[in-house]
Amino acid sequence: MSKRILFVCLGNICRSPSAHAVTRALAPDWQIDSAGTSDWHVGEPPYAPMQQAARARGLEMADLRARQFTVQDFDAFDMIVAMDDSNLARIEALRPAGNTTPVRLLTEFGDGAADHVPDPYYTRDFDGCLDLIETCARGLITHG
Ligand code: 4NP
């Protein structure tokens, strides 16, 4: 089975590129992309400390570049996966009439320990972010 999944956070430089890199490594036949609800970092690679924490566990994300979520993404993906409630609300606000693409929280696929992916840009807990994303991504691939 091949799935088209779009991961979305606020800046598209920490959480969603991490989810992108983790999931493409675990499910190489799936089509994975990531985007931000903001345009603040469009064109930039993932945040350097996030890349460093990922690289330390064998995940490469230097090839990724930030882009902003667009209304066309509702048709281009089978599922849109947000990192927190704020991302989810901003995505839902753009949903075209009649569109039924599922928009879910990544933590819905986790072990119940978290109800959102805390933003490491503010918490500075890049490793904890990757741990949570890895747990949830495994759940998404198995049950999503
Ligand atoms: P992200 O984290 O949404 O996980 O990419 C952020 C990165 C940058 C900013 C906010 C969140 N910022 O304010 O620039």
Side-chain angles (χ1 to χ4, degrees):
M1 182 182 56
S2 175
K3 281 209 175 185
R4 303 172 301 164
I5 307 283
L6 178 67
F7 295 106
V8 179
C9 62
L10 174 58
N12 193 206
I13 57 169
C14 290
R15 293 165 295 172
S16 61
S18 297
H20 185 159
V22 165
T23 308
R24 73 178 174 183
L26 292 172
D29 56 329
W30 286 20
Q31 255 181 265
I32 307 294
D33 197 6
S34 59
T37 56
S38 78
D39 65 358
W40 299 342
H41 297 281
V42 168
E44 294 178 22
Y47 190 46
M50 191 79 254
Q51 286 198 51
Q52 202 173 356
R55 196 170 293 127
R57 56 178 81 191
L59 286 168
E60 193 48 62
M61 58 172 91
D63 57 301
L64 304 182
R65 293 294 178 272
R67 72 169 178 89
Q68 188 170 23
F69 179 82
T70 75
V71 71
Q72 284 79 24
D73 288 319
F74 283 100
D75 282 330
F77 295 92
D78 301 316
M79 185 188 294
I80 297 166
V81 180
M83 300 298 131
D84 63 35
D85 284 330
S86 165
N87 311 146
L88 190 135
R90 293 177 73 163
I91 295 163
E92 287 291 358
L94 296 172
R95 184 190 289 278
N99 176 273
T100 59
T101 305
V103 181
R104 309 279 298 272
L105 285 175
L106 181 60
T107 47
E108 290 179 47
F109 303 100
D111 58 10
D115 64 1
H116 70 289
V117 181
D119 193 337
Y121 193 76
Y122 301 112
T123 69
R124 315 308 290 175
D125 184 8
F126 299 98
D127 263 317
C129 178
L130 286 167
D131 288 341
L132 177 58
I133 285 171
E134 286 193 359
T135 299
C136 297
R138 288 180 197 281
L140 171 64
I141 291 161
T142 308
H143 303 115

